[in-house]
């Protein structure tokens, strides 16, 4: 069974003259254990693709299935729970709560995924430690650099041990060694548990990490020859 699947998914924004077809009848499947890289220029719809896979952007037409369940048929509360437990989303702009520390951000995600306060605190400590960033667990997000926020966003995504990671340009504007560090974290997390990742980027270095590389252009998703 595919972990995540799009069947004939289109998504448009706007109407009439301003209409923009961002996803155009996209078919896509990812299996357990796979790392899929989606390359595409700015504005090609990479973020829209990931938010659609996560059920955050409803498709204009077509079906999105996560772990075999059709998202179109779910109550918003069910969708929220399914997402919190099964998807770790590393957002392009992180979406950390600035006034909270790294660990508090991670704990909040764990609480949404149904963890009780004690185990959530313990798990978030473990994740920061295992990623080699315990110091960032104690810093407030507002005081972090871009590269630090990127690693904290990864820690938060990994916390509930989701089967699917969606990472939106996780190495964008990072220096080379910081980018390598984030790639290493992602790689370890995915390979460790037979998990699945869909990663978007402009960065072709990420191809090393991927089992499959796709290109998103003019709303269409197509394979890139190795
Ligand atoms: N909520 C929205 N309302 C209207 N237009 C939108 C919305 N979200 C995305 N778009 C448009 O869809 C297109 C694709 O945007 P998207 O953010 O998915 O691209 P991207 O490939 O992630 O770009 P980047 O590499 O710059 O992050 C853009 O033209 C954008 O303006
Ligand atoms: Mg984007």
């Amino acid at each position: 069974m595919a972990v995540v699947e799009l069947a004939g998914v289109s998504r448009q924004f706007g109407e009439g003259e301003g209409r923009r077809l961002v996803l155009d009848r996209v078919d896509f499947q990812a299996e357990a254990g796979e790392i899929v890289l989606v390359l595409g220029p700015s504005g090609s719809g990479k973020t829209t693709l990931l938010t659609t896979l996560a059920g955050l952007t409803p498709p204009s037409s077509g079906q999105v299935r996560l772990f075999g369940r059709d998202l179109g048929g779910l109550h918003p509360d069910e969708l929220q729970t399914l997402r919190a437990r099964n998807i770790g989303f590393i957002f392009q702009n992180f979406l950390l709560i600035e006034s909270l520390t790294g660990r508090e951000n991670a704990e909040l995600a764990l609480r949404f995924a149904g963890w009780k306060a004690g185990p959530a605190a313990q798990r978030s400590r473990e994740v920061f430690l295992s990623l080699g960033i315990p110091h960032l667990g104690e810093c407030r997000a507002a005081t972090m650099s871009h590269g630090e926020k990127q690693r904290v966003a990864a820690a938060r995504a990994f916390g509930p041990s989701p089967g699917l990671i969606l990472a939106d340009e996780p190495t964008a504007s990072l220096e080379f060694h910081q980018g390598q560090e984030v790639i290493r974290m992602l790689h370890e997390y995915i390979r460790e548990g037979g998990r699945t990742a869909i990663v978007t980027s402009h960065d072709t270095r990420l191809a090393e990490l991927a089992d499959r590389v796709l290109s998103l252009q003019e709303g269409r998703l197509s394979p890139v020859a190795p």
Side-chain angles (χ1 to χ4, degrees):
M1 181 188 74
V3 168
V4 64
E5 184 177 357
L6 300 180
V9 164
S10 295
R11 172 69 210 202
Q12 66 171 59
F13 291 110
E15 295 293 335
E17 288 280 286
R19 174 177 183 267
R20 169 110 213 263
L21 187 60
V22 177
L23 300 177
D24 182 8
R25 293 161 293 158
V26 172
D27 294 314
F28 171 76
Q29 291 197 340
E31 307 295 329
E34 248 196 326
I35 301 179
V36 182
L37 174 65
V38 178
L39 298 170
S42 181
S44 59
K46 300 182 297 299
T47 297
T48 305
L49 177 73
L50 292 187
T51 58
T52 302
L53 288 167
L56 290 164
T57 298
S60 307
S61 58
Q63 273 192 330
V64 184
R65 276 190 287 275
L66 256 184
F67 303 97
R69 301 185 69 184
D70 181 355
L71 297 192
L74 293 185
H75 185 275
D77 291 346
E78 277 182 292
L79 177 56
Q80 145 103 7
T81 304
L82 184 71
R83 186 190 302 128
R85 296 194 173 154
N86 298 292
I87 301 182
F89 204 129
I90 305 177
F91 291 95
Q92 189 167 13
N93 52 0
F94 316 124
L95 294 183
L96 295 174
I97 297 176
E98 297 276 312
S99 60
L100 299 183
T101 65
R103 276 212 296 115
E104 287 165 346
N105 270 279
E107 281 172 33
L108 209 53
L110 285 156
R111 299 303 305 273
F112 274 118
W115 292 53
K116 297 223 159 39
Q122 168 139 9
R123 170 68 183 154
S124 71
R125 237 189 308 276
E126 277 167 19
V127 174
F128 278 81
L129 205 57
S130 72
L131 293 177
I133 52 170
H135 55 294
L136 296 181
E138 311 312 317
C139 277
R140 274 197 309 127
T143 67
M144 291 176 193
S145 72
H146 189 89
E148 288 169 342
K149 285 184 176 172
Q150 186 74 70
R151 280 170 283 169
V152 168
R156 178 182 60 183
F158 300 161
S161 306
L164 176 62
I165 294 287
L166 301 174
D168 199 0
E169 305 209 36
T171 63
S173 58
L174 292 188
E175 292 196 11
F176 182 75
H177 73 277
Q178 287 179 329
Q180 293 289 94
E181 186 58 22
V182 170
I183 292 171
R184 184 190 63 75
M185 283 179 175
L186 256 172
H187 202 262
E188 277 180 14
Y189 179 81
I190 302 304
R191 294 297 185 225
E192 180 181 287
R195 292 154 174 148
T196 304
I198 301 159
V199 182
T200 68
S201 191
H202 307 274
D203 186 348
T204 47
R205 279 181 303 170
L206 280 163
E208 281 173 44
L209 162 110
D211 299 306
R212 215 153 40 101
V213 184
L214 302 173
S215 152
L216 183 60
Q217 261 176 330
E218 293 175 2
R220 308 287 297 179
L221 201 54
S222 49
V224 173

